[in-house]
């Protein structure tokens, strides 16, 4: 999925830079895609190597953690009882709420999570910044584990089946689904080639497929609570909690990112009243604090506040992506010079 996002037609840097100052809400991400495409066209990155370059240091470090924990479990299987989330043992092993998200028990899981982390992080981290990107991963991972713990305890009291208490739960797929929500927020109208599906539907399609597969495969049922929790927690974080350092505001109050935007158009009149109830219950106080900083009580931006925030976000992303492009061009020049010396 993330590979498709990167393989867009190459556009000129000067044109995207000039249009960035007066573009729409999604111009920053289009700028990111264009910069990535242009960096792939440099001579030193040709020949198939460009696709696997430009990964951020944070993403590579987390990928090492995912692969390392999987290898450690292969040689020390008993470590799963200390690292994975086992609801009956979470007390006193409370650190499982943090470590469980970075433990992949299957080869397929570690491959999918690592590849998704590297390629999606390559898109999101330059826009959010490394600190905010890491904060997003930590918060979504921790709260997803908390939701899994509560769900397992509830299922035990409902069914009286002890396997809900002693089943080791772990995996990074909750955060990966959270990344899809981040892509939905940043480039909702970007179409994926070949399938012609807009990226705003990626979280919804993923959830729908997982729910459908869970009716036929027991393993998919084990992943479903993590996927649902990761998707919802990430939306809560981006909608209400994510701090915007440029404007000192929190969240994304736009209608395009409302909870009902995850559903088809004909279901939104039914979803909106239900979502508004939970909105008032969980986030009414957050709205009141944002109201004094430029938002109304309904979490709608006042005239001018959203455009200023978008403009500053675009400028910040432009600086980050321009620095990365300059670094890649410098590396390309050095490699070309070295190849020329070797040929002589």
């Amino acid at each position: 999925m993330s590979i498709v996002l990167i393989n867009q037609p190459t556009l000129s840097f000067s044109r995207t830079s000039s249009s960035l100052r007066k573009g729409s809400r999604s111009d920053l991400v289009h700028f990111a895609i264009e910069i990535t495409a242009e960096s792939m066209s440099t001579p030193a990155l040709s020949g198939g190597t460009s696709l696997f370059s430009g990964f951020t240091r944070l993403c590579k470090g987390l990928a090492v953690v995912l692969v390392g924990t999987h290898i450690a479990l292969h040689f020390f299987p008993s470590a799963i009882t200390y690292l994975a989330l086992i609801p009956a043992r979470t007390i006193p092993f409370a650190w499982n709420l943090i470590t469980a998200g970075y433990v992949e028990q299957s080869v397929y899981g570690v491959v999918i999570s690592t590849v998704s982390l590297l390629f999606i992080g390559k898109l999101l981290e330059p826009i959010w910044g490394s600190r905010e990107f890491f904060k997003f991963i930590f918060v979504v991972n921790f709260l997803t584990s908390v939701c899994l713990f509560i769900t397992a305890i509830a299922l035990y009291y409902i069914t009286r089946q002890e396997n809900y208490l002693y089943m080791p739960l772990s995996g990074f797929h909750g955060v990966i689904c959270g990344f899809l929500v981040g892509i939905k927020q940043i480039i909702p109208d970007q179409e994926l080639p070949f399938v012609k599906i807009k990226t705003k539907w990626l979280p919804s399609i993923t959830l729908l497929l997982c729910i459908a597969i869970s009716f036929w495969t027991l393993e998919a049922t084990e992943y479903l609570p993590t996927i649902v929790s990761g998707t919802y927690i990430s939306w809560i974080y981006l909608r209400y909690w994510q701090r915007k350092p440029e404007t000192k505001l929190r969240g994304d109050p736009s209608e395009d990112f409302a909870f009902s935007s995850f559903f088809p158009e004909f279901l939104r009149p039914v979803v909106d009243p239900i979502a508004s109830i939970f909105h008032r219950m969980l986030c009414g106080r957050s709205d009141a604090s944002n109201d004094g900083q430029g938002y109304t009580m309904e979490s709608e931006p006042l005239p001018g506040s959203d455009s200023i925030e978008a403009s500053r976000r675009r400028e910040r992303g432009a600086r980050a992506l321009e620095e990365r492009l300059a670094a890649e061009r410098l590396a390309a020049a050095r490699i070309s010079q070295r190849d020329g010396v070797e040929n002589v």
Side-chain angles (χ1 to χ4, degrees):
M1 181 275 303
S2 55
I3 298 177
V4 175
L5 286 175
I6 296 174
N7 288 334
Q8 303 292 331
T10 302
L11 299 175
S12 65
F13 175 75
S14 59
R15 183 167 61 86
T16 55
S17 299
S18 59
S19 62
L20 185 65
R21 300 184 181 89
K22 55 183 179 180
S24 61
R25 176 177 173 269
S26 62
D27 280 349
L28 173 59
V29 181
H30 291 294
F31 175 75
I33 295 174
E34 292 167 0
I35 290 297
T36 306
E38 181 165 329
S39 65
M40 292 170 60
S41 66
T42 55
L45 299 177
S46 60
T49 59
S50 59
L51 189 62
F52 302 97
S53 65
F55 301 130
T56 65
R57 186 176 302 177
L58 175 58
C59 289
K60 289 189 287 187
L62 290 175
V64 170
V65 172
L66 293 175
V67 175
T69 53
H70 178 74
I71 295 175
L73 289 180
H74 180 74
F75 290 101
F76 306 101
S78 61
I80 192 70
T81 59
Y82 298 97
L83 298 177
L85 175 64
I86 301 178
R89 300 177 180 177
T90 301
I91 302 174
F93 297 166
W95 62 80
N96 292 345
L97 295 173
I98 297 176
T99 59
Y102 307 101
V103 177
E104 289 288 353
Q105 301 182 43
S106 66
V107 176
Y108 298 107
V110 72
V111 171
I112 294 174
S113 295
T114 302
V115 172
S116 300
L117 169 65
L118 290 174
F119 283 98
I120 301 180
K122 187 177 181 180
L123 173 65
L124 294 180
E125 186 178 343
I127 298 174
W128 287 349
S130 298
R131 182 176 180 179
E132 177 59 35
F133 185 72
F134 179 76
K135 182 181 177 182
F136 174 85
I137 293 175
F138 180 84
V139 171
V140 172
N141 172 58
F142 175 74
L143 293 183
T144 298
S145 297
V146 172
C147 290
L148 290 179
F149 174 77
I150 296 174
T151 302
I153 297 297
L155 289 175
Y156 166 73
Y157 280 107
I158 293 173
T159 64
R160 293 296 176 179
Q161 297 183 13
E162 293 188 353
N163 62 308
Y164 290 115
L165 296 180
Y166 294 96
M167 179 186 302
L169 305 172
S170 64
F172 198 68
H173 38 282
V175 177
I176 297 300
C177 291
F179 288 160
L180 298 182
V181 178
I183 292 176
K184 168 186 171 64
Q185 180 196 34
I186 296 174
I187 44 173
D189 296 322
Q190 179 70 29
E191 283 192 352
L192 301 176
F194 307 111
V195 292
K196 299 300 180 182
I197 297 177
K198 292 185 177 181
T199 55
K200 66 181 180 181
W201 297 116
L202 287 178
S204 304
I205 292 175
T206 301
L207 283 175
L208 185 62
L209 288 177
C210 291
I211 293 173
I213 294 174
S214 65
F215 286 103
W216 289 279
T217 306
L218 182 61
E219 295 180 357
T221 307
E222 299 175 0
Y223 290 110
L224 187 59
T226 306
I227 293 174
V228 174
S229 300
T231 302
Y232 186 68
I233 292 298
S234 61
W235 176 78
I236 288 290
Y237 179 85
L238 295 174
R239 178 72 168 176
Y240 301 108
W241 299 342
Q242 188 182 50
R243 181 180 294 275
K244 304 298 192 305
E246 305 91 348
T247 58
K248 298 182 180 180
L249 299 177
R250 290 180 181 270
D252 182 356
S254 63
E255 287 296 328
D256 294 336
F257 198 56
F259 184 73
S260 59
S261 65
F262 288 82
F263 297 85
E265 191 73 30
F266 68 92
L267 290 177
R268 294 181 184 180
V270 179
V271 175
D272 278 329
I274 301 175
S276 63
I277 296 175
F278 289 94
H279 173 80
R280 289 192 295 268
M281 290 173 55
L282 300 175
C283 308
R285 183 176 301 178
S286 175
D287 286 346
S289 64
N290 279 341
D291 179 52
Q293 303 179 50
Y295 286 12
T296 66
M297 290 296 292
E298 289 78 18
S299 191
E300 292 294 333
L302 291 175
S305 62
D306 188 53
S307 60
I308 294 174
E309 176 186 352
S311 177
R312 292 180 178 177
R313 188 188 303 176
R314 285 194 293 267
E315 292 176 0
R316 181 186 175 195
R319 288 195 300 269
L321 292 170
E322 190 172 357
E323 290 174 0
R324 193 181 75 180
L325 178 61
E328 290 182 354
R329 285 177 170 171
L330 180 60
R334 290 178 177 175
I335 294 176
S336 299
Q337 184 179 6
R338 184 183 62 186
D339 291 342
V341 173
E342 291 177 355
N343 292 334
V344 174

